[in-house]
């Protein structure tokens, strides 16, 4: 059984297309078709159903996906361990919410790059459901979520911590010094929030629904730096993680509101797929994130 045929099979299974696989691997479409046919002949079973230009995995095909990933991972691990010791290198793809991406780039990227200049990092932002979909299709190496606590036997939680969240306002807000506020006291104020359905915004909206409440924000935007800047300048409110607002709280431009009746639990989780092979570069990156992006 040729490894290249298995790699082609993995790509077809993930992309759902012979054409896209050919483009990704630099093959002709006929080469991809031939390699899959070779694999099917060798295993004596059909791996894909082909109906009206649509291909789907057969039951045997789905079984092979897991084995193929493990074979490729073991092969890559052998190659890496067989090579002479050299400076750590490789490509890492991390997917995070916008706020985490901004913080990591501003706070940690240059330090990581200076320590490991041969490791190339690609950042992508997405909502939580898209992140897990990317893990399932091996399109992301590791993700960081800001959401309700997640656990699934298919994923490894490399690090996690509960996240402090607060309602925030301009330091001169009429609510700034108020004690024991209720959500009902602020529900009709103008809010700027992260995009609907995104991570902690989704958890927040779910908690409002439990209380038969709803907030229609005057602005929705994924850029938390813009949210904090606008709130600091005007009379709007927001609901944000403390790491996003920390500097403006310390400078006195923003303040936390003492809202006592919203019990919202948000977790920050560093996650990768259980079948993901951890290269030296990926292990190095995960260890760095655990040490620098999570509190102790």
């Amino acid at each position: 059984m040729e490894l290249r045929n298995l790699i082609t099979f993995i790509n077809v299974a993930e992309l759902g297309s012979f054409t896209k696989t050919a483009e990704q691997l630099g093959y002709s479409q006929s080469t991809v078709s031939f390699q899959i046919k070779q694999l099917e002949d060798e295993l004596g079973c059909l791996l894909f159903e082909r109906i009206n230009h649509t291909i789907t995995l057969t039951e045997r095909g789905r079984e092979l996906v897991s084995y193929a990933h493990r074979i490729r991972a073991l092969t890559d691990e052998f190659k890496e361990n067989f090579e002479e010791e050299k400076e750590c290198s490789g490509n890492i793809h991390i997917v995070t919410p916008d706020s985490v991406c901004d913080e990591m780039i501003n706070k940690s990227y240059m330090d990581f790059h200076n320590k490991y200049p041969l490791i190339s990092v690609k950042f992508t932002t997405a909502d939580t459901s898209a992140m897990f979909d990317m893990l399932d299709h091996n399109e992301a190496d590791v993700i960081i979520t800001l959401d309700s606590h997640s656990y699934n036997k298919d994923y490894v939680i490399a690090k996690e911590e509960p996240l402090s969240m607060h309602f925030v306002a301009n330091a001169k807000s009429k609510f700034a010094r108020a004690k024991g506020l209720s959500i009902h006291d602020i529900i009709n104020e103008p809010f700027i929030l992260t995009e609907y359905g995104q991570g902690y915004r989704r958890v927040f909206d779910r908690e409002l629904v439990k209380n038969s409440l709803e907030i229609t924000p005057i602005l929705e935007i994924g850029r938390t730096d813009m949210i904090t800047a606008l709130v600091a300048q005007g009379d709007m409110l927001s609901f944000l993680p403390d790491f996003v607002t920390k500097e403006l709280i310390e400078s006195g431009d923003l303040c936390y509101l003492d809202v006592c009746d919203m019990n919202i639990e948000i977790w920050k989780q560093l996650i990768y797929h259980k079948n993901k092979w951890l290269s030296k570069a990926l292990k190095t990156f995960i260890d760095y994130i655990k040490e620098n992006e999570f509190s102790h």
Side-chain angles (χ1 to χ4, degrees), residues 168-174 176 231-237 253-255:
V168 293
N170 184 299
K172 298 178 182 178
S173 166
K174 60 186 178 182
V231 173
Q233 294 170 17
D235 296 324
M236 295 78 73
L237 309 181
D253 294 299
L254 291 179
C255 66

Side-chain angles (χ1 to χ4, degrees), residues 14 72 76 90-96 119-124 130-144 154-156 158 270-279 281-283 285-286 289:
E14 291 176 349
R72 182 170 68 172
D76 290 342
N91 300 301
I92 308 298
H93 184 194
I94 179 170
V95 186
T96 74
I119 297 180
S120 175
V121 182
K122 175 183 176 181
F123 282 94
T124 301
M131 290 185 203
F132 283 110
D133 186 61
M134 294 175 80
L135 282 185
D136 289 340
H137 291 85
N138 201 31
E139 296 170 359
D141 295 312
V142 64
I143 64 174
I144 295 180
D154 290 332
Y155 309 115
V156 176
L270 176 65
I271 301 172
Y272 60 89
H273 199 281
K274 69 175 184 180
N275 293 330
K276 183 68 182 179
W277 172 59
L278 299 185
S279 65
L282 185 52
K283 287 178 184 175
F285 182 78
I286 289 173
I289 297 300

